[in-house]
Amino acid sequence: MPVSFSVLFFGVFKKQGFCERMISVLTAGLRNRKTGKPAPQPASRTGASIQRFPAKALRQQKSNPASGKWTLYIAIAIVLGQAALAVYIIRSFSHSGASERYLVHNAIIYSYTGSETELRAPFDAFVVGSDGKFEAVGSSADLKQSFWHLNQFDARGAVVVPGLIDTHLNLAEHGQSILNANLRNAKSVKESLSRLVRHLNGNADIEATAGERRKWLLGWGWDHTIWTDGTGKFPTKMDLDSHPRLKNVPIALFNSDNTAVWCNVAALSVASITRHTKSPKGGQIIVDASGEPTGVLVGSAQMLVRNALSQRFSQDRENAVLAATKAVLVKGITAVYDVGSSLEDVQLYQRLLDKGKLSIRIHSAIQCSASTCDSLPPANEIIKTANDYLSAESIRLTLDGGLSTWSSLLHEPYSDDPDSTGHSFISVVDLETVLLKALGQGYHASLQCEGDAAISQALNVLEQVSKLHSNWINRIRLSGLSCFRTEDVDRMVSLGVVASVQPSVSLNRKQKKIRLGSGRLKAAEQAWKRMFENRVRVTFGGGGDPMNTIYAATANEAAEMEDVSQIWTRQQVLHGMTRNAAMSQNNMGRIEKGYFADFAMYTQDWVKDEENGGIIGDMELIGIEAVVTVVGGVVRHGQMKYTR
């Protein structure tokens, strides 16, 4: 019903006192319906009997009590009509979900509008439509005039960016790191042990159980390369068992890039890992001079411990995913590329979606290997019902490990370990076979390759696959990319692959120099410069905290590199976490008409760096959070109070 007619409708009947009289007739009629007696005449607001109620109808009612029921029915119909109209009017001026429309104005908006280096949008307002997409963008004055009847939110100069997309995050693992002991940025073994003890103090149930039912103490985020009390070598089981309380519970601690796990004696015993246990392909059980396991397992060897933890992980999976989604929304992340997920994870996401609990968009990249690829169903059969929140059309293949654990596959030996060039987790033949099968099944592919040799191998295989399989452009991502050769950049361009980097979870320049040496490091930096000159599509992610990613990509490296022209700007990283990160999803990553209404709002303009007049310094980036995060038009974090 048009708003103008609704206002007239209400105004007329309010003036006539019609609603009050009909409600009085209705209630009186209900009281006298069983007796058959006519309902008494309702009084007007002045106390006098109703004079404007049709006299003929009243006389008929007195002479014919049965006619009272018709008066009752008419009253019911009118009151219900008024109630329905009231609901319509209220819904027209309120927002309670994606089905409502509203206007956001007076904002500083950063979004791709044609330039990858200048993202400041030429508009400061937008309308969210009833379909959860942007209905219009423009100036505040124009949109307020055209959409005057909608709820309006005055951003008061807040910064609004498209919903951020983390292209390298395992949701369940991230959630586990939130629910369990946090070892990120611990500067020593001693500090790590102190954090573990404090976690025990807050979780008495871990020490309360015994025998087969005893619980594990889990932790995430340790990084031995930044410890100040060691030589850069791996920690050991004896470090953990040096504390009496830590000795009595099985402990498994995963490092910052999930390439290694650190265990105590109790955990090794539960996982049945002894001096006789052989390292699996693509992994290594670190041993001492006598052949005894030291407590650290690298690469695929982690599965020996993860298998022992499978029941614990399964029980905690839903809580972990919900904790992770809540945490990333606070940071302004509205979608993740969920790397290394399992089919069971996808089924969990589907259940959460069906229950209305899935509050972010998830694109699952299912962990795959030469032995498991054959069991995967076609990509279009994993998600039964098409939707805008969940997809599982990618596989993930791991080619090597991380530089921090000396397991990245290099062309030349490590500078600090001349006898090693790292580890290959999959053969060239198996990689080509799996890729051809996966592409034939309709999947995209994400190849995790850190070292320059692993990247070269991946490109070699992709060149062969491109000759055997058509329609695969923009369906391949190379992630990791800690170091690579300049000549491989040209091949990335010709093959149309996407480069996904994780600056916040990879080694900084000083640490890379220890592993690679100054000459190889400088060549790798020149390769990065070549990548931007050749316009390779680059995305960013890792860690679930975009501000850490931006800081690591801009501030950390800028302080150390000799040629600062190689450094990413904040706007380049933002572009890599929005439009570039959208991959084949052409309706994500921009504030533009027809795109999903995913956006994040901040009180501080962190996008503008100091060279361009910004006031937020590098260190001030850390800890910045979104005040409002919206997915599909629905506020998922914070709140929006409308001005009308």
Side-chain angles (χ1 to χ4, degrees), residues 343-357:
L343 286 175
E344 290 75 18
D345 289 333
V346 177
Q347 292 167 359
L348 170 60
Y349 303 152
Q350 182 70 64
R351 291 196 298 272
L352 292 175
L353 178 64
D354 294 341
K355 295 177 182 178
K357 293 183 177 181

Side-chain angles (χ1 to χ4, degrees), residues 343-344 366-379 381-382 395 434 437 441 443:
L343 286 175
E344 290 75 18
I366 300 170
Q367 189 67 41
C368 194
S369 66
S371 60
T372 61
C373 180
D374 289 337
S375 62
L376 284 179
E381 294 182 6
I382 294 181
I395 63 163
V434 172
K437 287 182 179 178
Q441 293 264 66
Y443 288 98

Side-chain angles (χ1 to χ4, degrees), residues 117-267:
T117 57
E118 179 50 61
L119 299 182
R120 177 67 184 270
F123 50 85
D124 66 345
F126 54 82
V127 173
V128 173
S130 58
D131 58 356
K133 296 181 179 180
F134 294 112
E135 182 176 332
V137 299
S139 69
S140 292
D142 290 345
L143 294 188
K144 287 175 72 176
Q145 182 176 5
S146 300
F147 297 92
W148 61 270
H149 56 290
L150 297 184
N151 268 327
Q152 297 180 13
F153 178 78
D154 185 353
R156 302 182 185 277
V159 167
V160 176
V161 301
L164 303 177
I165 305 170
D166 192 316
T167 58
H168 194 90
L169 185 68
N170 184 289
L171 269 179
E173 293 280 321
H174 186 53
Q176 291 285 4
S177 71
I178 294 170
L179 298 177
N180 293 285
N182 179 11
L183 303 180
R184 293 189 184 280
N185 300 316
K187 301 300 182 183
S188 64
V189 169
K190 183 178 180 180
E191 183 180 347
S192 299
L193 300 188
S194 177
R195 292 191 188 187
L196 294 175
V197 171
R198 292 200 301 271
H199 186 74
L200 284 178
N201 292 340
N203 296 271
D205 58 319
I206 295 178
E207 293 178 287
T209 57
E212 295 182 357
R213 296 180 56 204
R214 63 179 171 173
K215 293 188 175 182
W216 288 62
L217 171 56
L218 304 179
W220 266 264
W222 60 273
D223 183 357
H224 62 289
T225 66
I226 65 173
W227 288 347
T228 58
D229 62 347
T231 60
K233 295 183 178 180
F234 282 130
T236 69
K237 60 187 179 184
M238 301 313 298
D239 291 325
L240 292 173
D241 285 349
S242 64
H243 194 288
R245 287 182 65 188
L246 300 179
K247 186 176 182 179
N248 297 324
V249 294
I251 300 174
L253 310 172
F254 299 90
N255 70 341
S256 58
D257 58 2
N258 275 318
T259 58
V261 60
W262 171 23
C263 302
N264 65 352
V265 172

Side-chain angles (χ1 to χ4, degrees), residues 44-57:
S44 70
R45 287 173 293 176
T46 63
S49 61
I50 298 175
Q51 300 299 320
R52 288 185 294 269
F53 194 85
K56 184 177 180 180

Side-chain angles (χ1 to χ4, degrees), residues 455 459 484-497 523-524 526-536:
I455 294 168
L459 294 171
F484 52 94
R485 294 182 168 183
T486 303
E487 55 265 31
D488 281 338
V489 175
D490 298 328
R491 295 204 288 165
M492 291 183 195
V493 176
S494 63
L495 289 167
V497 300
Q526 290 298 323
W528 274 114
K529 185 176 181 180
R530 181 69 170 272
M531 175 178 285
F532 281 103
E533 291 173 346
N534 288 13
R535 301 179 68 82
V536 174

Side-chain angles (χ1 to χ4, degrees), residues 376-421:
L376 284 179
N380 60 5
E381 294 182 6
I382 294 181
I383 306 299
K384 302 302 181 184
T385 305
N387 66 89
D388 296 327
Y389 276 77
L390 177 61
S391 63
E393 298 175 351
S394 293
I395 63 163
R396 180 183 187 241
L397 294 165
T398 304
L399 277 67
D400 66 347
L403 279 177
S404 65
T405 55
W406 296 273
S407 55
S408 293
L409 188 63
L410 304 179
H411 284 293
E412 303 295 334
Y414 282 87
S415 293
D416 57 343
D417 188 0
D419 295 327
S420 174
T421 57

